[in-house]
Amino acid sequence: MKKILVINGPNLNLLGEREPAVYGDNSLEKINAKISDSAKSLGFETDFFQSNSEGALIDRLHEARLDCAGVILNAGAYTHYSYAIRDAISAIKIPVIEVHLSNVDSREEFRKTSVIAPVCKGSISGFGEYSYLLALDALKFLL
Ligand code: DQA
C-alpha cells in the first residue's frame, strides 16, 4: 500500500487552541484522524509528523524519499521564507502538495509569498482541515 506522509510545521501542534477563528476548533490529532480515515478509503496508508524546527522538517522530508509515495506539507510560516525547506522539496523526487488551512492570499502581505510553491506539485489553501483531504485526492489522481 502506498504511504503518504503528512507534515505539519511550526505552531500547528496548537491547532484547536491557536486562533480558532482562523484555523478552526479541531486539534491536530483530530484532523490527523480524519486524514487517516480518508486515506484508507483511497487505499493509502499514512504517517504523520509535526515539528516546530526547520531542520527536523528538512530531515523528515529527506527520509520520506525512501519509503513514501507522496507528501502533504503545511510548512506554517516557513512557507513564506524558508529556502532550506524549498531546497529539501527540490531534492526529493516524490510529489509534495503544499496545504494551508487558511486562505493565505486573503491575509497579511507576507503570507501572499510562498517560496515553496514553485517546487511543489500544487498548492491548496483556504479550506480549513478539508485542505488536507483535497490534497489526498490530488495525490490519488497523481499516483
Ligand atoms: C498556515 C498559514 C501560515 O501563514 C501560518 O504561518 C501558519 C498556518 C495555514 O495553514 O493557514 O502557521 O500555514
Side-chain angles (χ1 to χ4, degrees), residues 22-137:
V22 179
Y23 299 117
D25 296 318
N26 272 342
S27 64
L28 185 57
E29 205 182 359
K30 276 194 182 153
I31 293 173
N32 285 347
K34 288 189 192 184
I35 297 170
S36 174
D37 284 350
S38 181
K40 266 181 219 148
S41 68
L42 294 172
F44 290 133
E45 62 175 300
T46 39
D47 205 354
F48 296 94
F49 182 74
Q50 190 278 328
S51 178
N52 296 319
S53 307
E54 192 176 23
L57 295 169
I58 292 166
D59 288 342
R60 194 64 190 88
L61 281 164
H62 291 176
E63 277 170 31
R65 82 190 194 286
L66 304 174
D67 67 343
C68 294
V71 176
I72 296 172
L73 172 64
N74 185 346
Y78 286 136
T79 302
H80 313 301
Y81 65 91
S82 175
Y83 297 115
I85 290 179
R86 175 190 167 123
D87 283 351
I89 297 166
S90 294
I92 61 174
K93 291 189 183 75
I94 56 175
V96 177
I97 312 284
E98 173 188 11
V99 303
H100 300 285
L101 294 142
S102 64
N103 178 354
V104 284
D105 287 310
S106 71
R107 301 179 63 198
E108 301 94 325
E109 274 308 307
F110 76 89
R111 292 187 209 275
K112 293 181 184 164
T113 299
S114 168
V115 300
I116 67 169
V119 295
C120 287
K121 200 74 191 168
S123 304
I124 298 166
S125 162
F127 300 99
E129 62 195 48
Y130 191 56
S131 291
Y132 295 91
L133 306 185
L134 289 170
L136 273 178
D137 270 344

